[in-house]
Amino acid sequence: MKKLLGVIVCCVLAFGIFAGNRWMEEGMWLLDSIGKLPVEEMKKHGLELTPEQIYSTNGPSLKDAIVLLGGGTASFVSKEGLLITNHHVAFRGIQALSSVQDDYLKNGFWAKSHAEELSTTYSAQVLVGMRDVTADVLSAVSDTMSADARARAIQVRTAELEKAEKGVTDRTCRISDIFGGVKYYLFIYQAYPDVRLVYAPPSAIGNFGGEVDNWMWPRHTGDFSLMRVYTAPDGKPAKHAKENIPYTPKAFLPVSTKGYSEGSFAMIMGYPGRTFRYREASAVQLARDETLPTTIDLYKTRMDILEAAGQTSRALEIKFAGRLRGLANTYKNYLGTLEGMKRAELLTLKRNEELKFAAYVNSSAELSGKYGTLLADMERLANEQRTYNRKFVLFSNLSAGVDMFRLAARMRTYAGLFRDSVGTTIAPSQKERDAVRDFVGTVFRTFDLNVDRETLTALLLKNADMPVEQQLAIVKDIVGSRTGADREKHVRDYVADLYDETTLVTPAGCEKLLARGPDAVTDDEFVRFATTIDAEQSPVTQHNTKINAKLAALRGKFIEAWLDWKKDGMVYPDANRSIRFTYGTVKPYSPRDAVEYCYYTTLTGVIEKEQPEDPFIVPAKLKELWKRKDFGRYADAKTGEVHVAFLSDLDITGGNSGSPVINGKGELIGCAFDGNWEAVVGDYYFQEQFNRTISVDSRYVLFVLDKFSGAESILKELVIH
């Protein structure tokens, strides 16, 4: 263990020397790495802050303005807990508050006072502290442990450390593995559950371009919303209550109207999701050949059903807006990733790099003895995953896409809780009944019988088209040797009977079933169906868990050896939803021969894209402002236009949505909301010439608030430079 830690220390020290002499845009860095980054080079590009002003463990710094919010990131922009994030990060909250009568998705929302702000289900998590706990975590393992035993030991040890750190506080403590488990960091958060919607632009601004433009440049989307964090009167976290007061952050970002130029310094701090840049070639091949194509196919099937339902009524369109947008975003991301893998010949690049790695390992008997079988072992496990991989993807789509399946699984679990060791039924507590009722209420908020039935039918038919070894047993029984229309009819008839015979399709039916007791629950037709699926899913899931435990151990050794091999190279870890820092410049790019993209878009581009139907409708008032050139102080000094979005070479991924783009003075110049199509594969492979971050310009945010909405109360609250 000491030798392993020594390898990492040497790598980090080597990087410190290396980075000090070179400007590098690539990397999502841990905050305690900022001091080792090329600060002098950053200053040449416009950085005026010190590393301590960006991240400090002793006093307020930029990191205190950054918030983990839902599936994205947000930042404080006022001393009264006002947050800016993306419209698409706030989307589910806006959707939940919307109705046909109060259509905030379509028309937007502005609270003219604190009293008018609307409560959401979001929780804002503010980082309190972080530290390296590698030695404490790895003290629980030994080199003689099996992969399963090692994984269990680490799980138990991390839980102990998290519990000890939390103590009697209400803080959230999470330990994350870094470099595939070579290192471990403890992150401590304070969660604030009272988050309210303050402002959302109409969808014709906040979602302009929709899925047509998603992941594409040029973009003209005003992808921002404003929310506010509240606390109890004593400043402590509290659930929504009338007496709560706005949170006072330790730091917040002034908003800049000065703009940027090509080459201007920019940085982002936020919570990127998952990247796989150290992933072995065999895993990349499995993703390219099976996981991504299968997921794309099933997501498209589910999206088509939701879109068709939404066309029948605005109420259904609102109900499924969040689900559809989440599916569509991932769907297009996976399409781009798959295309990028092929365009970049990623598998060939990985294989060639691994040949060089293997030569390094075989250069000494010691290295060969320790790491010589790593690549072969990981490929063997990938091949083992291949035997059930498509079926595994189907299981996840059934669980996520079929509400009745989720409900039946929850009912089944509920019923199983109330049997003693010999199987005798015991009465459930009122608390347990209430927990199930709450779950039922949650499911039925976004449930539609026709959509659910059609989704299950479509997924079972998709499974029937998979290779026979990837088909569910129940699908084989339903389908038999049937093909074509006959096959589809039998599946449709089976599903129709399933929904006709279950009592779970209404809240009242669920209540009656609960009242009859646990035995009645297990006799329900859909619960029996879910039980049949689970009988096949559970062993597959358990087997996959074991394989992943083995892969995790092997990947840890792989990265350990890789870091030792790459002493003079990049050593940032893959993203894993922990807070990260990335830096770079405002920068254009050329996606292909004879095409050069400008690094910004303007309001004129919005007008040029106008069409009479969604998602390219332009609000009449926005057109009128453009015609009159009524831009106020928000026009760019050089172009005279209002800039809508801009490009930078900052290294981000999913989860960074809503992250603040900050200039060298620590001011907000934009809000990151997307990457470009040519670089979607960046989760697996960074391409310096292509990787770009797309952000909404802070001046467009101010322009929309001021000129379009007249939101003076919000503007007065901001510090505008």
Side-chain angles (χ1 to χ4, degrees), residues 146-425:
S146 68
D148 285 346
R150 189 179 192 278
R152 287 194 298 271
I154 288 175
Q155 185 178 28
V156 170
R157 184 58 179 152
T158 55
E160 291 173 349
L161 292 170
E162 289 168 349
K163 183 178 180 180
E165 182 66 36
K166 177 179 175 59
V168 296
T169 72
D170 57 356
R171 291 175 172 175
T172 300
C173 302
R174 289 195 294 271
I175 292 176
S176 298
D177 65 284
I178 307 295
F179 287 120
V182 175
K183 299 189 78 173
Y184 289 85
Y185 270 69
L186 170 68
F187 297 91
I188 306 163
Y189 304 91
Q190 185 67 68
Y192 296 89
D194 188 356
V195 179
R196 306 181 194 180
L197 181 65
V198 177
Y199 179 90
S203 60
I205 291 176
N207 191 36
F208 183 80
E211 292 307 318
V212 178
D213 274 2
N214 194 14
W215 302 103
M216 298 296 181
W217 182 260
R219 290 294 290 277
H220 298 84
T221 314
D223 196 350
F224 78 96
S225 288
L226 300 174
M227 308 177 90
R228 192 184 308 278
V229 179
Y230 280 79
T231 70
D234 61 3
K236 294 181 180 179
K239 293 182 179 180
H240 177 85
K242 185 177 180 180
E243 65 271 16
N244 285 357
I245 61 173
Y247 170 74
T248 302
K250 292 181 180 179
F252 68 90
L253 303 175
V255 184
S256 173
T257 59
K258 302 298 189 295
Y260 43 78
S261 300
E262 183 176 345
S264 293
F265 177 82
M267 56 186 168
I268 279 179
M269 202 179 288
Y271 288 89
R274 287 279 175 183
T275 56
F276 312 99
R277 293 179 186 170
Y278 295 97
R279 199 50 51 97
E280 68 278 6
S282 53
V284 170
Q285 184 171 9
L286 183 63
R288 185 199 67 178
D289 294 348
E290 288 194 8
T291 308
L292 290 174
T294 304
T295 304
I296 287 168
D297 185 32
L298 297 182
Y299 273 30
K300 184 63 166 63
T301 298
R302 291 166 58 190
M303 286 162 52
D304 288 345
I305 293 168
L306 294 174
E307 286 174 345
Q311 290 172 4
T312 64
S313 78
R314 178 59 180 162
L316 283 177
E317 189 177 14
I318 291 172
K319 178 182 283 190
F320 293 121
R323 189 184 301 186
L324 180 57
R325 187 163 188 178
L327 283 169
N329 187 60
T330 303
Y331 166 78
K332 198 163 184 181
N333 176 284
Y334 283 5
L335 278 176
T337 299
L338 194 57
E339 180 182 302
M341 283 181 170
K342 295 174 181 176
R343 184 178 59 247
E345 297 183 341
L346 181 58
L347 186 58
T348 299
L349 290 173
K350 287 280 185 180
R351 293 288 189 200
N352 289 340
E353 192 74 357
E354 286 181 2
L355 286 174
K356 297 175 185 176
F357 170 76
Y360 160 74
V361 168
N362 293 327
S363 66
S364 80
E366 181 183 0
L367 290 171
S368 181
K370 191 172 183 179
Y371 305 119
T373 65
L374 275 177
L375 296 175
D377 290 342
M378 288 190 288
E379 185 150 15
R380 174 179 51 79
L381 290 171
N383 289 333
E384 195 170 338
Q385 285 182 315
R386 197 179 294 271
T387 63
Y388 59 80
N389 190 48
R390 290 174 179 159
K391 185 191 294 186
F392 191 76
V393 174
L394 176 78
F395 284 140
S396 68
N397 277 268
L398 282 171
S399 299
V402 181
D403 287 332
M404 201 52 50
F405 189 84
R406 293 168 52 220
L407 192 57
R410 180 67 178 87
M411 288 287 191
R412 179 172 163 270
T413 302
Y414 164 81
L417 290 173
F418 302 105
R419 298 184 192 280
D420 60 23
S421 59
V422 294
T424 304
T425 302

Side-chain angles (χ1 to χ4, degrees), residues 9-64:
V9 170
C10 288
C11 287
V12 171
L13 289 175
F15 168 71
I17 297 170
F18 179 72
N21 296 307
R22 182 183 169 191
W23 174 269
M24 295 176 294
E25 296 86 356
E26 180 180 353
M28 302 175 202
W29 304 94
L30 290 166
L31 298 190
D32 58 5
S33 298
I34 291 175
K36 302 182 182 74
L37 297 176
V39 176
E40 292 306 315
E41 287 297 315
M42 293 184 195
K43 289 180 179 178
K44 293 178 183 178
H45 287 78
L47 176 64
E48 297 182 19
L49 303 181
T50 65
E52 291 73 25
Q53 289 174 309
I54 299 172
Y55 170 66
S56 173
T57 58
N58 301 316
S61 58
L62 281 184
K63 68 95 175 168
D64 296 304

Side-chain angles (χ1 to χ4, degrees), residues 95-146:
Q95 173 213 1
L97 293 166
S98 294
S99 64
V100 175
Q101 293 74 31
D102 295 313
D103 198 339
Y104 301 133
L105 280 177
K106 180 180 180 181
N107 302 322
F109 172 79
W110 168 34
K112 297 178 176 63
S113 67
H114 289 353
E116 294 182 4
E117 294 169 4
L118 301 178
S119 179
T120 73
T121 57
Y122 286 72
S123 177
Q125 297 185 60
V126 180
L127 184 69
V128 176
M130 55 177 278
R131 68 174 184 271
D132 187 332
V133 292
T134 305
D136 285 337
V137 172
L138 295 183
S139 66
V141 303
S142 67
D143 293 339
T144 59
M145 282 182 169
S146 68

Side-chain angles (χ1 to χ4, degrees), residues 435-448:
V436 175
R437 289 190 180 102
D438 288 344
F439 184 80
V440 169
T442 300
V443 169
F444 278 97
R445 278 200 291 270
T446 57
F447 176 77
D448 179 82

Side-chain angles (χ1 to χ4, degrees), residues 555-575:
R555 284 169 181 158
K557 292 183 69 176
F558 177 55
I559 295 175
E560 173 189 332
W562 192 278
L563 291 173
D564 194 34
W565 177 43
K566 297 282 188 178
K567 288 187 178 72
D568 296 328
M570 309 294 288
V571 295
Y572 64 88
D574 266 322

